[in-house]
Amino acid sequence: MLFDELSVQKFHIRVLIAGACGIFTDGYVLGSISPALPSLTSALHLSPHQTGLVASAPLAGLLFGSLLASPILDKIGRRIPFEFDMMSFVFLAFLHALTSDLTSLLILRFIIGCVLGVDYVAGKLYVSEFLPSAFRGKLMSWLSVAWVGGYTSAYAIGYVIHLVWPQGTWKIIFMSAAFPALCAAILRYGMPESILWLLARRRIGDARRVADRYFGAVKLPSWSSDTQSTGRSGTLRRVVELFSGQQWRRSIGATLFYVLHNVPYLVLSAFLPEVLRNVGLHDPFKSGLFYDALLFSGAVTGLWIVERFQRRALIVGSFVLQGSCLFIVSLFALPPLMTLLLLTAFGFILTAADCLTYVYPPEVFPTDLRATGVSLMVSSSRLVATLSTMAFPAAIAEYGLSASLAAIAVLLFAGAVICGFWASETQGKKLSTLGAKNANSRS
């Protein structure tokens, strides 16, 4: 039996939990921005433009880090970044105690984003390349639950910290991210290298030893590249191959989905208290807790729907429903409670479909292009999210909340049309057959 056709074993659960703890930390870091901003804005006397810079700094770091992830993961493998990036993050989180001005805070948040950018790509690749194909959709969806769990936990914990320590809240909130990172670092220690990466590097003996230790006598695929050499080497060659032949449409469709899914998620949630205050809710923190509870329930719902619908149908349907919620909020002067319900419906639908951001990217790309492809998707979404997050406070001040939400709704509707044509269907695809032919490779 091929190693990715196995039933779920203890080692698969270990890999999943180790990956989920890191993803939880990623979500926690970004989720901590929203509850920290009111205290931070007051303490450092930030303007709307400076507030946007603080919110976008880790996203800019994520952009840079995810770009670095591709050559790192291709050259040295998946294991080392997966195992050690959370250790470095623990140290960085505690450095918030020493920051007292805007410049040092922006630099620190950017560096933290770089570490998370590498981890975000490494975690998806490492976990997906070990999981059996028959269970990959449901198991990878747990990473979405972990990310949303981290995101919503940060908001809830930040709210409690805000009540207990009204002064200096932002430092304590940012430093608290060190604790889930420490748990992730402990769980990831001693993990093996990805079998698929070893095979792609023709290290058949090493791959065989990892398989024997953790899975026993299973078949490994004999490797043969699906892609034609372009005469270029390294990252440049892989980027060219992503947009050549039959791969280009899959690459563009998947990247557009990833960008248009993540941007409203990150932008709206980062400024959630301000958004809720603008629609007439006088206790935005409590309303935000209700919103985040719906986010988490949506992520759990994603576990149920991910294998019951085709990937492309989920992408298109989620864009249409999310855009409809935001468009209604922007078009009509609704009572605050109705607006909150529509925004939470938007969040519920978004996080229900968020499972695809973990399941779909590894399925779109063959193993020798997977790190570059996923890195491209993550970095593209973070580039657009960074620019959008920087501009969002000023856009609300200049054009109003309704117009800003309407613009996001239009983008979501456009994404539904484009992805309906270009997003490839990948349900049931085996990662070991991408760039390989199935054969017993025991050496």
Side-chain angles (χ1 to χ4, degrees):
M1 178 179 292
L2 199 66
F3 86 98
D4 68 351
E5 294 178 346
L6 295 169
S7 59
V8 178
Q9 301 180 12
K10 289 183 179 180
F11 180 73
H12 294 130
I13 302 302
R14 177 188 172 189
V15 169
L16 181 63
I17 294 174
C21 286
I23 296 296
F24 180 96
T25 304
D26 297 346
Y28 192 99
V29 171
L30 295 181
S32 66
I33 296 172
S34 183
L37 275 182
S39 169
L40 177 61
T41 302
S42 175
L44 299 185
H45 309 289
L46 302 182
S47 67
H49 173 68
Q50 291 171 327
T51 301
L53 287 177
V54 173
S56 62
L59 296 176
L62 275 163
L63 163 64
F64 189 70
S66 58
L67 287 174
L68 288 176
S70 172
I72 291 173
L73 294 169
D74 281 324
K75 185 175 182 60
I76 69 174
R78 314 326 195 196
R79 181 189 67 83
I80 294 177
F82 182 76
E83 185 171 334
F84 292 106
D85 53 12
M86 285 291 108
M87 296 181 185
S88 63
F89 180 81
V90 174
F91 171 74
L92 292 170
F94 283 122
L95 284 181
H96 285 102
L98 304 179
T99 57
S100 57
D101 61 274
L102 179 61
T103 301
S104 60
L105 178 62
L106 289 176
I107 293 172
L108 178 59
R109 299 296 288 174
F110 176 82
I111 295 173
I112 285 173
C114 290
V115 175
L116 294 182
V118 174
D119 183 74
Y120 204 67
V121 179
K124 288 185 178 183
L125 266 59
Y126 189 89
V127 176
S128 67
E129 290 180 353
F130 270 111
L131 294 183
S133 58
F135 304 94
R136 189 174 58 244
K138 182 172 291 187
L139 293 178
M140 286 291 288
S141 296
W142 279 103
L143 297 185
S144 174
V145 175
W147 194 95
V148 177
Y151 196 96
T152 56
S153 295
Y155 193 93
I157 292 171
Y159 178 67
V160 173
I161 294 173
H162 174 76
L163 295 177
V164 177
W165 291 286
Q167 302 299 323
T169 302
W170 64 274
K171 285 191 177 184
I172 301 172
I173 292 175
F174 286 156
M175 289 171 60
S176 65
F179 296 101
L182 180 61
C183 293
I186 294 172
L187 288 169
R188 292 180 176 191
Y189 185 75
M191 301 292 278
E193 184 55 83
S194 162
I195 291 176
L196 293 185
W197 182 83
L198 290 171
L199 290 174
R201 288 293 178 273
R202 309 299 194 270
R203 292 169 56 179
I204 310 301
D206 291 336
R208 185 70 262 169
R209 281 187 286 274
V210 173
D212 287 345
R213 178 176 178 182
Y214 293 98
F215 303 111
V218 296
K219 295 180 181 179
L220 298 180
S222 282
W223 212 259
S224 62
S225 176
D226 282 340
T227 56
Q228 298 296 321
S229 174
T230 60
R232 301 173 175 84
S233 62
T235 302
L236 178 59
R237 174 188 63 80
R238 290 187 287 272
V239 170
V240 170
E241 290 175 354
L242 283 174
F243 298 98
S244 303
Q246 298 180 350
Q247 182 64 42
W248 74 269
R249 189 184 297 270
R250 294 193 290 268
S251 298
I252 293 178
T255 302
L256 285 173
F257 152 68
Y258 203 89
V259 169
L260 293 177
H261 173 86
N262 279 284
V263 168
Y265 198 164
L266 298 173
V267 171
L268 287 181
S269 297
F271 297 100
L272 184 59
E274 181 65 21
V275 170
L276 295 174
R277 191 178 290 111
N278 270 271
V279 298
L281 293 162
H282 300 294
D283 192 341
F285 275 106
K286 289 183 179 178
S287 300
L289 290 175
F290 177 72
Y291 174 87
D292 282 348
L294 266 292
L295 288 185
F296 188 76
S297 62
V300 174
T301 302
L303 297 172
W304 180 79
I305 68 173
V306 66
E307 295 296 1
R308 287 171 170 79
F309 298 92
Q310 292 188 329
R311 311 289 196 239
R312 184 162 46 214
L314 281 177
I315 291 171
V316 174
S318 66
F319 279 165
V320 170
L321 292 175
Q322 291 169 52
S324 298
C325 291
L326 294 184
F327 197 70
I328 293 172
V329 170
S330 67
L331 194 62
F332 301 103
L334 300 171
L337 180 58
M338 182 61 68
T339 301
L340 177 61
L341 291 175
L342 282 169
L343 287 176
T344 52
F346 161 82
F348 179 87
I349 297 163
L350 187 150
T351 52
D354 192 57
C355 58
L356 289 175
T357 65
Y358 297 89
V359 178
Y360 191 58
E363 295 177 344
V364 174
F365 305 106
T367 300
D368 54 345
L369 301 180
R370 191 168 294 130
T372 306
V374 174
S375 175
L376 172 69
M377 294 173 71
V378 175
S379 59
S380 297
S381 73
R382 271 33 181 187
L383 172 61
V384 179
T386 300
L387 298 175
S388 302
T389 303
M390 291 173 62
F392 194 67
I396 293 178
E398 180 72 20
Y399 303 106
L401 180 64
S402 295
S404 301
L405 293 180
I408 296 176
V410 170
L411 287 176
L412 290 170
F413 289 140
V417 174
I418 295 171
C419 291
F421 286 102
W422 283 5
S424 58
E425 184 54 55
T426 61
Q427 191 171 25
K429 183 173 289 186
K430 294 182 177 64
L431 299 192
S432 64
T433 63
L434 299 177
K437 58 183 179 181
N438 293 337
N440 191 358
S441 169
R442 192 170 182 84
S443 58

